[in-house]
Amino acid sequence: MLLPRRFQALFALIFLVLVTLILLRAPASRRLDQSGLVLPKLPDSIPLPKNPFRPLSHKPPVEQANSTAGETHWYTDWKWRNPFSSAVTLDEDRAVLPPQPLRPYIYTFYDSTIKKDEATEKAEHELLLTWRRAWWAQGFKPIILGRPEAMNNQLYGELQRLQVKPELEEELARMLAWGHMGTGILADWLAYPMAHPDDSILSFLRRGEFPELVAFEGLKGSLLCGEKAAVNQAIMDALKHPDIQIAKLLTEVLPDALKLEAKPDSIALYDPLLIAQMYTHITNTLQSAGPDFHLALLPELINSHLHATWQSSFPAGIHIHQPLPKDPTTALHAPLIDLARTLTQCPRTPIPSSCPPNNPKCPPCVASRPLPLTLFPSYHNDSDAFTLATVPHPYTLTSLLHRTPGTLTMRLLRRATARNPWLAATTTHLLGHGPSAAVRTLLFKDLVASTTAAHHALWLTPEPFSAPSSGALINPASPQARADLAWRLGFTLPDTHRDDGRRDPPVPGAAMSTTNQHQHQQQRPPAPQPLAPQPGADEVRAEREVLARAAQVVVVGGVAEEEEEEGPGGGNGMGMMMMGRREVEAARRVSRAAEAWHMADAEAWRFVRAWNARGRVERAVWEEEERRFVGGEERARGWGSWLGLG
């Protein structure tokens, strides 16, 4: 049956149009070449409209810059006082840390253009390194300036056109370099913080708020603080002073611009003239060997004074935190005891019984009466004591308690272990036995990260390094750990020596030889009284094997090479009886179960590990920025490493 005539005409028209389009349509590439236009492309996927009935879900926070170190991850946020970080980060492996307090800039001026002999230059670089380390430990960001910064100041040309005394020219160059950098503190590189971290002057400087240009009496302009505008205005006033050509000191041309404060008791200025006036016995001893001997001994003398000042800040001694003392955890806390004995040891010094310039009546360090070392099964909040503690991973602690590394099972975790034993024992003295794990976790985070806690305690993790900046300090005697501790405490630790049974007089006298003085300083304090009967050597060796095997499980990538090389007889015994790959993978599943079963203990471990790692990353970033300038640690060790040749 034929279609109606109007439908036949319609279909014929449609067919004609289609044939015309097909025959006359050019290829896409040819059309683009002719028109020069790019045809829009449809997206590969079209987003679906949101389902209004679907439950809401949060997105994990974006990873912040400089928030990782090896396997350690953290997130900085004001919500850090949440009992469990995963509630904020939505990530089981990332800890929430409080925002870091801003470090105020403290500047010093060192003119490296002056030619000096190699020995003098090396000694001055050691002093600059000591200066940076001391101020960094007190919460500042030390920066060493020089002539280039002074020349970048717009007022440097006016200084060059004037004929001033060399002493004043150097002082004005210091000010010009400081004015170029901006608000902060200007200190001489022979001025050191020599007081308790809670000192009022150090707290004032640490706030970084200086409405006026402030100087301190008795320091001869060696410590100034102020804002950039006030500094540059003071420089302009000094350059216009009528006595600028005859003056020798900065205070002579800036009588009105500086606000003088009382002499601080917390700043030690090792000015040669000041030492000659106040400490004739030190000056005579140093000058008797010549000026080169004086400069070479000064870094060691200052370091000993910094160490002695730290010891006097904690008259109650050192508290060593040892929870669960009746359980087999001797090998876990042995590094802490060794570190505590090193900290309470009399520092090596070229002038025994000497005191810093700001405290001429300090009590001398006597080897026969060291600071007390005390073991505590629970944390004691004592502001007169310094606390050392190690926070083990739940798998590490469980393996020690049950001596089952590599064979620990989930059934054993649930049926034979109490939940969160380490945190419960740590906070029992402060909270008792009633509060929940969440309350204990909040208290523990305050103990670690509060404003004053950083200067009163040192919380470490026993697991070894998976990377140089992983945040663990398994062996405080290793060079890497000792260097990190030096920046955190502000002084280098004395070398450890084994006791040889000999005893010298308690206070070095004039008749004591130099050899006897050094032997006296190297005597180590005795170990603290144990809280429980001590295990034998075989049991301690077995505990070290457990620690070594547990470290392979907890730290992805196994034990670091530097730890493996120590072998059974060195360090903490890492490198003994290593586990196979399949055994480690199976044990890591149990380690995850241990973290879930001991959530509060795992949170404490992650928090401390991330806290230490962030501090290392902060210092690493700062050292990388200052690596090219004078005063860096590589520069002090040798010019080859500074130039990238070593």
Side-chain angles (χ1 to χ4, degrees):
M1 186 177 88
L2 295 177
L3 293 174
R5 186 171 298 175
R6 61 172 178 261
F7 286 106
Q8 293 180 7
L10 179 61
F11 282 118
L13 181 61
I14 292 174
F15 178 76
L16 181 62
V17 170
L18 291 177
V19 171
T20 304
L21 291 176
I22 293 174
L23 295 178
L24 298 180
R25 184 174 181 270
S29 58
R30 182 178 176 183
R31 295 201 314 274
L32 290 176
D33 294 339
Q34 293 175 353
S35 61
L37 300 176
V38 179
L39 296 178
K41 295 183 179 180
L42 293 176
D44 296 334
S45 61
I46 300 176
L48 298 176
K50 295 183 178 180
N51 185 0
F53 303 102
R54 182 180 179 180
L56 299 177
S57 62
H58 293 87
K59 294 182 178 180
V62 179
E63 188 169 304
Q64 299 167 335
N66 297 326
S67 63
T68 60
E71 307 161 15
T72 308
H73 307 267
W74 62 89
Y75 179 73
T76 301
D77 195 86
W78 287 108
K79 300 177 183 177
W80 65 278
R81 295 193 79 254
N82 195 299
F84 300 102
S85 299
S86 58
V88 179
T89 63
L90 305 181
D91 186 350
E92 295 291 340
D93 297 325
R94 192 155 41 145
V96 179
L97 299 180
Q100 287 179 302
L102 296 178
R103 290 177 175 266
Y105 287 98
I106 181 168
Y107 304 102
T108 193
F109 183 83
Y110 178 78
D111 194 350
S112 59
T113 60
I114 301 177
K115 294 183 179 181
K116 304 171 185 177
D117 59 274
E118 185 178 355
T120 302
E121 191 172 17
K122 180 179 179 181
E124 289 182 350
H125 287 173
E126 288 291 342
L127 285 171
L128 290 172
L129 178 59
T130 304
W131 180 86
R132 294 167 75 241
R133 191 164 47 218
W135 284 104
W136 177 270
Q138 291 287 353
F140 298 87
K141 183 176 289 188
I143 304 294
I144 299 175
L145 307 179
R147 285 284 171 177
E149 287 82 8
M151 295 172 64
N152 289 335
N153 196 311
Q154 297 179 356
L155 300 175
Y156 187 79
E158 298 185 20
L159 175 62
Q160 293 298 102
R161 288 190 291 268
L162 297 175
Q163 295 181 356
V164 299
K165 300 290 184 180
E167 299 87 351
L168 181 60
E169 195 276 338
E170 184 176 358
E171 291 292 326
L172 290 175
R174 291 175 63 233
M175 295 288 292
L176 288 170
W178 181 26
H180 168 69
M181 296 301 294
T183 303
I185 308 164
L186 179 65
D188 194 284
W189 49 278
L190 292 176
Y192 294 81
M194 206 77 67
H196 193 279
D198 297 335
D199 178 79
S200 58
I201 294 297
L202 295 179
S203 299
F204 161 73
L205 296 176
R206 207 178 289 119
R207 283 195 294 269
E209 300 176 359
F210 314 113
E212 297 178 289
L213 190 59
V214 179
F216 297 90
E217 295 181 357
L219 296 182
K220 302 179 180 180
S222 297
L223 185 66
L224 306 173
C225 52
E227 296 182 353
K228 181 175 183 178
V231 173
N232 288 322
Q233 182 62 42
I235 296 173
M236 290 188 290
D237 295 341
L239 295 176
K240 298 177 182 178
H241 198 276
D243 299 333
I244 184 99
Q245 295 183 350
I246 61 175
K248 292 184 178 181
L249 298 178
L250 182 65
T251 54
E252 298 178 11
V253 294
L254 288 178
D256 301 327
L258 296 176
K259 178 184 178 183
L260 287 179
E261 296 288 347
K263 182 179 179 180
D265 297 331
S266 55
I267 305 298
L269 177 62
Y270 288 85
D271 181 76
L273 298 178
L274 186 63
I275 293 179
Q277 295 174 2
M278 301 179 60
Y279 303 97
T280 56
H281 64 289
I282 297 180
T283 306
N284 295 336
T285 305
L286 292 175
Q287 290 181 349
S288 63
D292 295 339
F293 182 75
H294 174 278
L295 193 60
L297 287 181
L298 199 54
E300 187 178 37
L301 179 66
I302 295 175
N303 185 80
S304 66
H305 289 169
L306 289 168
H307 190 173
T309 301
W310 182 89
Q311 291 178 344
S312 63
S313 301
F314 304 101
I318 296 181
H319 291 178
I320 304 172
H321 182 50
Q322 186 184 7
L324 310 174
K326 297 182 180 180
D327 293 308
T329 58
T330 303
L332 182 65
H333 299 97
L336 293 182
I337 297 176
D338 183 73
L339 175 59
R341 296 178 66 189
T342 303
L343 289 174
T344 54
Q345 178 181 342
C346 289
R348 183 182 180 91
T349 173
I351 311 296
S353 302
S354 63
C355 295
N358 63 318
N359 188 16
K361 297 182 179 180
C362 69
C365 182
V366 181
S368 59
R369 294 195 304 271
L371 289 176
L373 303 180
T374 311
L375 292 170
F376 283 101
S378 186
Y379 181 84
H380 283 61
N381 191 9
D382 188 355
S383 59
D384 291 333
F386 189 83
T387 301
L388 291 176
T390 181
V391 186
H393 188 274
Y395 183 88
T396 302
L397 182 61
T398 306
S399 299
L400 277 175
L401 298 182
H402 295 274
R403 300 288 184 88
T404 54
T407 60
L408 191 64
T409 62
M410 299 183 187
R411 179 183 179 89
L412 179 63
L413 279 175
R414 296 197 320 268
R415 306 239 176 158
T417 62
R419 305 193 72 173
N420 307 307
W422 186 90
L423 189 60
T426 299
T427 57
T428 296
H429 178 75
L430 298 177
L431 296 178
H433 299 278
S436 63
V439 175
R440 297 181 187 277
T441 305
L442 288 178
L443 174 65
F444 175 78
K445 291 184 177 182
D446 285 334
L447 296 177
V448 175
S450 62
T451 305
T452 59
H455 299 292
H456 290 80
L458 190 62
W459 300 86
L460 310 177
T461 53
E463 287 73 23
F465 300 100
S466 63
S469 58
S470 64
L473 288 173
I474 180 63
N475 186 7
S478 65
Q480 184 178 11
R482 290 173 66 87
D484 182 75
L485 290 172
W487 284 94
R488 298 176 71 169
L489 299 174
F491 53 87
T492 58
L493 300 180
D495 295 332
T496 57
H497 299 271
R498 295 186 181 275
D499 296 330
D500 54 7
R502 294 179 295 180
R503 291 295 179 265
D504 293 314
V507 179
M512 185 183 296
S513 64
T514 304
T515 303
N516 289 337
Q517 290 176 3
H518 289 168
Q519 291 176 354
H520 163 77
Q521 295 163 10
Q522 294 170 5
Q523 291 179 10
R524 301 196 67 200
Q529 187 68 25
L531 299 176
Q534 294 297 290
D538 294 338
E539 296 182 10
V540 175
R541 190 179 301 107
E543 291 180 14
R544 289 176 176 173
E545 293 181 4
V546 173
L547 286 174
R549 293 163 66 89
Q552 278 190 297
V553 178
V554 173
V555 181
V556 177
V559 184
E561 294 180 359
E562 60 180 298
E563 305 290 348
E564 290 178 355
E565 293 174 355
E566 293 181 358
N572 296 282
M574 295 299 171
M576 299 180 296
M577 299 180 60
M578 294 294 101
M579 302 165 62
R581 182 179 300 275
R582 293 183 179 179
E583 189 178 3
V584 169
E585 292 177 355
R588 281 179 182 154
R589 291 192 291 269
V590 182
S591 175
R592 280 298 196 185
E595 294 178 5
W597 184 249
H598 305 289
M599 290 184 62
D601 281 3
E603 179 70 16
W605 178 82
R606 291 194 194 96
F607 190 84
V608 170
R609 192 172 178 85
W611 176 266
N612 291 332
R614 188 179 68 172
R616 289 191 170 196
V617 169
E618 179 191 20
R619 182 166 60 87
V621 172
W622 167 69
E623 286 185 332
E624 180 63 25
E625 295 173 353
E626 298 298 311
R627 180 178 58 85
R628 300 171 298 165
F629 302 99
V630 177
E633 192 163 6
E634 295 181 358
R635 184 84 176 259
R637 291 175 180 172
W639 292 97
S641 60
W642 177 68
L643 294 173
L645 304 177

